[in-house]
Amino acid sequence: MAADSDPESEVFEITDFTTASEWERFVSKIEEVLNDWKLIGSTASKSLEKGELTSGTWEEKSDEISFADYKFSITHHYLKQESLADKEVKVESEEDALPEAMQDLLSMSNDFPPRAHCLVRWYGLREFVVIAPAASNDAVISESKCNILLSSISIALGNTGCQVALFVQIQQKARRMYVGACEGPGVRTDFEMVHLRKVPNQYNHLSGLLDILKSKIGCPLTPLPPISVAIRFTYVLQDWQQYSWPQQPPDFDALVGGEVGGLEFGKLPFGACEDPISELHLATTWPHLTEGIIVDNDVYSDLDALQAPQWSVRVRKADNPQCLLGDFLTEFFKLCCRKESIDELLGRSAFEDESKAENADISQALQKLTEPTAVHIPRLSTMSNMVHSARKRMHKHRRVEESPISNEVLNSILLFLFPDAEKAGDASTAKRSTSRGSSIATAEEEGYNLYSQFKSAPSDSLTYKLALCLCMVNFYHGGMRGVAHLWQEFVLEMRYRLENNYLVPGLAAGPPDLKCCLLHQKLQMLNCCIERKKARDDGRKQTSENALGGSVERKLSNSTGKGTSECSNKELDKENKGESSQQKSWDSWSDSEDEFFECLSDTEELKEGVQESDVKERTKGEKKDEGAKKEIQKWRPEGRLHQHGKLTLLHTGDPLYIPVTQEPAPMTEDLLEEQSEVLAKLGTSAEGAHLRARMQSACLLSDMESFKAANPGCCLEDFVRWYSPRDYIEDELTDEAGDKILKGELSARMKIPGNMWVEAWETAKPIPARRQRRLFDDTKEAEKVLHYLVGLKPADLTRHLLPCILHAALLKVKEEESMEDIPSVRKIIQQIITHASKLLRYSNPDIKKLEEIISQIIASEAIIARSRSLQAKFGIKKCEKEDEREELERFVSYLLEQPEVPVIGAGRGPTGSIIYKLFVNAQRVTTLTPIDDEPGKSGSSDEHRSSLGAVSEFPPPAGREIILRTTVPRPAPYSKSLPQRMYCVLLKDEFRLAGAFSSDTSFF
């Protein structure tokens, strides 16, 4: 205890007052940020031009600072201006020059900017810094904290010499309350603010506000220097009376001819269903007044809106107006996120039946088509009958009320998609549809070609029309179930056309176009299969007839050739069944069946096919000895197309003929990707590379066999001279006699050991193209396409067709914009094209980015709808005078592009007269007096004013803004004369005073 009471054992706490406090660190951080942003010292810029605060480019920088654990954001807002030359800077940067912020307080060229930061509107500043709580829900409310912040910025401004106005946001952020300061050499400006919910009665007019300013500046001079006044009254028009929105919504139940929902098939709707303009704001401005010129108090006012020297108009747009095209796109886009299948939506499969036997037959339909045996024409008709009976059973089981699409609408859609279906049994009709599909030449290709950029489809193609019909069905007829119903019918139609050799209309001839969407490529692939199948069936009939006729002639003319005739008849029977008597080549890498392709361009040589097959039957079982080779060389050439110039065979000297070859197999992009993946999986080993080369040489082997058949006695060098001339090198040599001769040899790559060309040439047999195994198995590929189409869900179908819908929507916007000529819409269209062309080139585009594109299209539609709404309200089409109509058109165009548009002639011009009538008629509706004449007919506002009687021309102003300025010495009479400014806004539920009061800090 004694030790505890010892005074020496007590611990003394020593406070080091030299360490920085949290407040000092906060001030230091402000100074550091100001230094980083190079806001130290005076700056010199050219004076502000008229409207520059609105039209100029504003930029900002932000940083984060903290006071203890309370975080603030500090933001530098500034108007981007060109810096002055060095000479101009020297003139301006004198010791007594005022800071830019103080000069801006007196500038009258940028009063009431229509679009700017609130501090710019209240004080007219071109540059300032704002310190505000970082969190949106934080606020500096207590007076002591406000004073600490004000002291902090004052110290920071004094220490750094910064002449930029510095503000602190206080109270709740929604109130937009700011206090601040600006310091220069010997001068200081304090920015103060008053914000009330109601306007005091004594300050509800100009005279009361002047009293506030005079009492605040406390000028000792008499008389007081004049105070300049700028006034703006804003009137709001919300009730458009008889000027209803001209767009009428379509009749959803109408079905007249080729129209569903009041819309023609293949065309998207356009326009807003409600008025996209909600309010019109008229601002009447008196820019340059003095307090002695005008009277405005609680008894009398000289401020008549019709007498205001300046009028300006702005429009308030409706929030997200309902637009038809936007609704179409949005509803169709929603299908991308659905997961239901066709069977889940329609209840039962299209081919389901109560009869087990019939069901079994239908379930084996695909197997019958893909069997290795030949498919006879009678079986095809049987298959088509099965498909049609399945369709009838499907409609029978589905009650009428359960069908998403009525039969009448469905038939109209199918006739629109397949115009040749009216005469389905007429082959000439199918031919006409084929020629139409092969000669697609659209106006889009000439002027506005987008499908290749969007990877969609040509605007007159079947895929494009199908996308529009599905979009319309989704919106008007059953939604997602209607889409599933129409798609099911479409797939059945594709099956029917395949079975009956009817080409699909609206598709360009040739292989799939990889610039189009995958679904369009699949349909083109199906068309290729139908074309090949039709050609093979026609060639088979002709071959059978010619072969039978030839065998009869040989029986009559050749008495000793019984065995040969029997062999020929057997061969013909095999050929009619689709079986092969030819030996397989490269069976190790091809698992397809031996199927033969009769080339229609070589049908005349089919007459001699029986004789050639006889020779091959005799030599089939023999060994490959020298006698057999000589016999093969004696074969007559087959499958010649035409002679290749003056080239001759190297060994025999006979002319070299170009053979008839098989066309390469068409492929869609998914098949190409699949093939590339298979080839990539083979690896980089020698065996893998060899196998990959053999897989890629199917077409090469076919061409070699055709070349050998057309040129008996040829060698590999002959083939290379035709197929790849660069791989045959010729040198000019001199023989013993002194004559110059040409000697050729294969290139170095052709002489590499194990070269694939040499291996393929040794394997190839002299077989013409018509008897080779098909490079393109159209039966198998057609079934693959149909299987792919059947397996698509509505969501998958929507993703495939979405590029077509965006393509159609953009063309619709472009068409509508051409009628209105709106520059902003043209700019948006170009942005959409650039964005979409980059996005849609991939198979699975980002959903969020697709939503952005749709939003841009909807925005374009809304702008065009606003243009038409304003044209209707201002009666442009009813205007009789050409010059006045042109002025109104320019005015409406500016309203869409600019935030605020001045009215030429104010209330006395043609535009002002129409605006005046709109307000007058709105007032007459409220007082139940007759409405004035149409707005399109202009006239003097004074004439209308004389006929109003007791009715007020304008409603009370919705807002009043007053700017008071003066230059007086403060605080003493001998102080420097400095700018003083007070901005006042008087609304129904708001009263705000924003004052900037300057004082001399050197002579006070």
Side-chain angles (χ1 to χ4, degrees), residues 753-773:
N755 182 273
M756 190 55 57
W757 285 57
V758 176
E759 183 180 344
W761 181 260
E762 294 175 353
T763 311
K765 296 176 176 57
I767 306 173
R770 67 174 181 270
R771 289 206 300 271
Q772 293 177 9
R773 182 173 57 243

Side-chain angles (χ1 to χ4, degrees), residues 245-369:
W245 172 231
Q247 176 79 21
Q248 296 297 327
D251 183 7
F252 296 162
D253 300 325
L255 177 58
V256 182
E259 296 187 357
V260 174
L263 299 168
E264 185 180 351
F265 283 132
K267 293 186 178 180
L268 291 174
F270 193 88
C273 293
E274 57 181 321
D275 196 340
I277 302 296
S278 60
E279 294 178 355
L280 183 143
H281 293 193
L282 170 66
T284 59
T285 307
W286 292 263
H288 306 294
L289 298 174
T290 56
E291 60 174 317
I293 294 178
I294 197 166
V295 177
D296 180 41
N297 51 38
D298 55 352
V299 178
Y300 175 81
S301 176
D302 289 330
L303 301 175
D304 184 2
L306 285 173
Q307 304 301 323
Q310 293 180 5
W311 277 20
S312 57
V313 174
R314 69 167 65 189
V315 292
R316 183 175 179 180
K317 305 158 188 174
D319 296 331
N320 301 320
Q322 182 184 2
C323 297
L324 294 175
L325 180 61
D327 290 348
F328 260 59
L329 293 179
T330 304
E331 292 300 321
F332 191 73
F333 182 71
K334 288 179 181 178
L335 297 182
C336 293
C337 302
R338 303 291 292 272
K339 298 181 180 179
E340 297 88 341
S341 65
I342 300 291
D343 289 342
E344 290 173 352
L345 291 169
L346 300 182
R348 64 194 311 181
S349 175
F351 295 102
E352 185 178 355
D353 191 67
E354 299 135 356
S355 175
K356 294 183 179 180
E358 292 182 2
N359 194 15
D361 291 338
I362 296 170
S363 64
Q364 296 174 0
L366 299 182
Q367 181 180 355
K368 290 181 179 181
L369 285 174

Side-chain angles (χ1 to χ4, degrees), residues 503-544:
L503 288 173
V504 181
L507 298 175
D513 187 356
L514 300 182
K515 297 192 299 293
C516 299
C517 63
L518 181 58
L519 184 61
H520 187 78
Q521 296 177 39
K522 292 290 185 182
L523 296 179
Q524 283 184 306
M525 174 68 85
L526 185 62
N527 235 11
C528 292
C529 297
I530 296 173
E531 188 176 1
R532 298 283 180 94
K533 177 175 174 291
K534 184 175 184 297
R536 188 174 63 256
D537 292 345
D538 293 344
R540 204 173 271 157
K541 291 180 182 179
Q542 186 176 359
T543 303
S544 182

Side-chain angles (χ1 to χ4, degrees), residues 245-246 270 816 819-820 864-872:
W245 172 231
F270 193 88
E816 298 292 334
M819 303 177 187
E820 309 298 334
I864 296 175
R866 293 186 191 108
S867 173
R868 292 175 177 173
S869 174
L870 291 173
Q871 289 180 11

Side-chain angles (χ1 to χ4, degrees), residues 54-280:
T54 302
S55 60
T57 302
W58 283 87
E59 296 183 357
E60 62 180 53
K61 301 175 185 176
S62 295
D63 202 347
E64 191 172 278
I65 58 178
S66 59
F67 193 127
D69 57 348
Y70 197 92
K71 294 184 179 180
F72 289 89
S73 65
I74 179 169
T75 307
H76 178 212
H77 301 266
Y78 59 97
L79 179 68
K80 192 173 182 180
Q81 286 183 299
E82 296 179 1
S83 58
L84 293 174
D86 295 338
K87 294 182 180 179
E88 295 179 355
V89 172
K90 291 179 181 178
V91 174
E92 293 290 338
S93 58
E94 299 176 356
E95 291 186 1
D96 56 349
L98 295 177
E100 275 187 353
M102 294 187 185
Q103 299 177 26
D104 292 342
L105 294 177
L106 294 179
S107 174
M108 295 185 180
S109 57
N110 285 276
D111 290 345
F112 314 112
R115 183 172 55 194
H117 192 280
C118 59
L119 291 174
V120 177
R121 187 173 183 85
W122 296 338
Y123 297 113
L125 303 176
R126 75 182 80 178
E127 185 178 18
F128 55 93
V129 177
V130 177
I131 298 176
S136 58
N137 54 351
D138 289 343
V140 180
I141 298 177
S142 66
E143 186 176 354
S144 60
K145 291 182 179 180
C146 295
N147 290 333
I148 290 176
L149 290 176
L150 279 175
S151 301
S152 301
I153 64 173
S154 297
I155 295 173
L157 290 174
N159 291 342
T160 59
C162 175
Q163 296 187 6
V164 177
L166 191 56
F167 291 88
V168 176
Q169 186 170 12
I170 60 176
Q171 304 297 326
Q172 294 83 0
K173 289 193 174 183
R175 298 187 63 181
R176 298 188 298 173
M177 290 280 291
Y178 297 89
V179 292
C182 174
E183 291 192 2
V187 293
R188 175 186 173 89
T189 299
D190 293 303
F191 297 94
E192 304 174 7
M193 193 166 294
V194 174
H195 184 228
L196 303 176
R197 292 298 180 190
K198 291 186 178 181
V199 181
N201 292 331
Q202 65 270 32
Y203 306 127
N204 198 19
H205 39 73
L206 177 60
S207 59
L209 298 174
L210 287 170
D211 293 341
I212 294 179
L213 178 63
K214 292 176 181 178
S215 62
K216 179 63 180 177
I217 61 178
C219 181
L221 297 181
T222 54
L224 189 68
I227 299 176
S228 65
V229 181
I231 302 175
R232 166 172 287 203
F233 286 0
T234 301
Y235 301 87
V236 178
L237 178 62
Q238 294 175 320
D239 187 5
W240 300 105
Q241 309 91 35
Q242 81 274 25
Y243 312 117
S244 61
W245 172 231
Q247 176 79 21
Q248 296 297 327
D251 183 7
F252 296 162
D253 300 325
L255 177 58
V256 182
E259 296 187 357
V260 174
L263 299 168
E264 185 180 351
F265 283 132
K267 293 186 178 180
L268 291 174
F270 193 88
C273 293
E274 57 181 321
D275 196 340
I277 302 296
S278 60
E279 294 178 355
L280 183 143

Side-chain angles (χ1 to χ4, degrees), residues 602 605 612 635-640 706 709-711 766 768 770-771:
D602 208 21
E605 298 182 8
E612 296 158 4
W635 286 353
R636 296 183 59 184
E638 298 181 85
R640 285 180 172 179
S706 301
N711 298 279
R770 67 174 181 270
R771 289 206 300 271

